[in-house]
């Protein structure tokens, strides 16, 4: 079965989408088959991955994440398979859609109904899980990467209980440090509640469900490294950067250890140190490429070297994801 990895932080604008897209290309380049799901109604991942024309074509052909989930919203039936867009060798995308907000709208009731042991609640709450798994099976994928919006909402809850692991992108600032305890608290709470729901599962529910036994594994966090600057702002960022390991341990590791998830208490440093990459980021967006895929005319001179250097960083993150999750692949 494919391994599902969510990129989650309810703090917005911390690099979730950018890191996901770049590490996905690194995973595909080392030979893993990867499917991306844009589960954020902002659809930023889709805008990064494909041109406007390609996106319009997906909307016209009704092959976005909304089209997959729409039958549950209209009451027409269960989710349906949509053919993912091929982005590269080994890499596909199920595009995002602003109308995903309508599916988000039925998730809170679905959760309450699942806790009350009602079959419809299980159908709605596990729709993302079953969609991820079915799509991965059809494409023989090794990994499914999920891009989520910056919310602690019921859609993200459904995505997290469907995941084998999650990564927390964050920035070196007060807001990210403060966000960590709510990330840990939310996930611990969601997993605990899901275990309660599973105890109430009615006999009529025969489809496969996420068990949340020893998952989702907290794989760690990725911190933007602003200390590359030698001027005064670097010091200001470092104050917050230095607080992150303890905030991660207390806010995420301990609450998840308390619900018996496999955490590594010693691992409190960032998985990778990602530098502030200034204009390389918008250039890569324009070209719908990973930062390290930019060519000599898209990034010149020292910028070109900086773009190529990020390949090692994203390969490192790809290898961490593989080594932490591959045992059961
Ligand atoms: N390493 C980087 N260097 C410079 N700019 C970056 C870097 N990573 C991301 N950015 C920029 O920061 C902004 C936020 O990035 P991104 O959209 O990936 O964050 P996000 O966490 O997915 O946001 P949201 O919470 O809205 O989904 C974007 O404008 C992006 O271009
Ligand atoms: Mg995003």
């Amino acid at each position: 079965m494919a391994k599902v990895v969510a990129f989650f932080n309810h703090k917005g604008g911390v690099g979730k989408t950018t890191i996901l897209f770049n590490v996905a290309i690194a995973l595909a380049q080392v030979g893993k088959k990867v499917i991306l799901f844009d589960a954020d109604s902002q659809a930023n991942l889709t805008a990064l991955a494909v041109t406007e024309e390609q996106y319009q074509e997906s909307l016209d052909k009704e092959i976005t994440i909304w089209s997959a989930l729409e039958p549950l919203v209209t009451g027409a039936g269960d989710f349906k398979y949509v053919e993912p867009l091929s982005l590269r060798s080994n890499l596909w995308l199920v595009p995002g859609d602003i109308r995903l907000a309508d599916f988000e709208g039925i998730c809170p009731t679905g959760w309450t109904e699942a806790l009350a042991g009602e079959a419809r609640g299980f159908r709605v709450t596990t729709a993302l899980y079953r969609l991820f798994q079915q799509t991965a099976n059809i494409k023989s994928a090794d990994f499914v990467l999920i891009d989520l919006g910056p919310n602690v909402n019921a859609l993200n809850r459904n995505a997290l209980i469907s995941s084998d692991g999650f990564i927390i992108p964050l920035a070196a600032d007060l807001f990210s440090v403060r966000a960590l305890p709510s990330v840990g608290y939310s996930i611990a709470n969601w997993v605990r509640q899901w275990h309660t729901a599973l105890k109430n599962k009615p006999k009529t529910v025969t489809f496969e469900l996420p068990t949340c036994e020893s998952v989702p594994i907290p794989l760690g966090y990725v911190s933007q490294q602003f200390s590359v600057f030698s001027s005064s702002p670097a010091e200001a960022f470092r104050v917050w950067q230095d607080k992150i390991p303890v905030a991660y341990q207390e806010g995420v590791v301990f609450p998840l250890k308390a619900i018996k998830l496999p955490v590594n208490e010693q691992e409190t440093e960032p998985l990778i140190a990602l530098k502030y990459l200034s204009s390389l980021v918008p250039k890569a967006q324009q070209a719908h490429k990973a930062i390290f895929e930019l060519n000599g005319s898209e990034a010149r001179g020292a910028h070109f070297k900086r773009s190529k250097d990020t390949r090692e960083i994203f390969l490192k993150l790809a290898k961490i994801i593989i080594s932490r999750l591959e045992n059961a692949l």
Side-chain angles (χ1 to χ4, degrees):
M1 257 168 66
K3 295 293 172 187
V4 178
V5 187
F7 285 66
F8 177 59
N9 189 345
H10 59 84
K11 168 83 187 76
V14 287
K16 295 182 285 292
T17 305
T18 307
I19 294 162
L20 184 153
F21 186 61
N22 281 271
V23 79
I25 292 172
L27 276 167
Q29 287 188 354
V30 296
K32 298 295 175 189
K33 291 189 171 181
V34 184
I35 304 183
L36 312 181
F37 277 83
D38 190 344
D40 177 1
S41 49
Q42 298 180 99
N44 290 344
L45 175 63
T46 306
L48 182 52
V50 300
T51 63
E52 262 183 66
E53 292 74 30
Q54 285 171 304
Y55 184 40
Q56 189 55 50
E57 205 180 309
S58 306
L59 291 167
D60 294 344
K61 286 188 181 162
E62 301 186 356
I63 51 165
T64 69
I65 194 164
W66 159 249
S67 302
L69 298 166
E70 184 183 7
L72 288 148
V73 178
T74 58
D78 208 345
F79 78 91
K80 68 167 195 269
Y81 174 75
V82 293
E83 182 64 25
L85 288 179
S86 172
L87 298 180
R88 309 268 189 293
S89 174
N90 292 337
L91 186 66
W92 295 267
L93 167 75
V94 174
D97 196 314
I98 182 71
R99 293 168 291 176
L100 183 64
D102 291 352
F103 177 71
E104 258 171 57
I106 66 165
C107 290
T109 308
W111 187 258
T112 312
E113 287 174 351
L115 282 170
E118 292 170 30
R120 186 184 144 78
F122 281 92
R123 195 175 292 285
V124 170
T125 301
T126 65
L128 282 178
Y129 172 81
R130 293 177 294 123
L131 175 65
F132 299 157
Q133 293 298 340
Q134 193 193 81
T135 313
N137 282 344
I138 290 171
K139 291 291 173 198
S140 306
D142 302 303
F143 288 98
V144 171
L145 304 190
I146 317 297
D147 193 31
L148 297 168
N151 309 293
V152 194
N153 64 14
L155 178 92
N156 287 358
R157 175 169 59 197
N158 292 355
L160 261 299
I161 63 154
S162 307
S163 300
D164 295 288
F166 67 93
I167 288 174
I168 310 171
L170 48 79
D173 65 13
L174 167 68
F175 306 140
S176 277
V177 170
R178 289 279 165 86
L180 281 168
S182 32
V183 169
Y185 170 83
S186 303
I187 296 177
N189 213 17
W190 295 342
V191 169
R192 247 193 317 256
Q193 285 185 33
W194 182 242
H195 287 157
T196 307
L198 286 177
K199 286 187 194 131
N200 297 334
K201 180 176 80 102
K203 286 203 172 63
T204 51
V205 171
T206 52
F207 43 79
E208 210 183 311
L209 303 171
T211 61
C212 282
E213 264 171 38
S214 308
V215 292
I217 298 171
L219 297 171
Y221 66 92
V222 176
S223 173
Q224 304 266 8
Q225 298 274 302
F226 292 93
S227 51
V228 284
F229 298 123
S230 55
S231 54
S232 56
E235 282 310 311
F237 285 120
R238 198 171 290 123
V239 168
W240 295 111
Q241 212 156 283
D242 291 348
K243 292 183 194 290
I244 292 172
V246 173
Y248 177 71
Q249 196 176 39
E250 291 177 354
V252 179
V253 171
F254 293 161
L256 296 182
K257 185 183 172 207
I259 59 158
K260 302 196 168 34
L261 289 185
V263 294
N264 186 338
E265 283 184 66
Q266 311 321 319
E267 265 179 35
T268 57
E269 292 302 313
L271 297 172
I272 55 164
L274 189 61
K275 289 178 180 167
Y276 180 71
L277 294 163
S278 60
S279 63
L280 287 174
V281 176
K283 284 211 168 95
Q285 290 171 352
Q286 217 178 340
H288 307 286
K289 287 178 174 178
I291 295 156
F292 54 83
E293 287 179 315
L294 291 171
N295 61 36
S297 58
E298 289 160 334
R300 291 176 189 275
H303 279 305
F304 182 64
K305 186 182 176 311
R306 282 176 75 204
S307 82
K308 293 296 158 203
D309 289 347
T310 66
R311 184 158 188 270
E312 283 313 306
I313 294 167
F314 288 111
L315 277 176
K316 182 180 171 194
L317 184 58
K319 285 173 188 162
I320 292 169
I321 293 172
I322 295 168
S323 69
R324 287 296 302 276
L325 296 176
E326 78 179 346
N327 293 345
L329 271 179

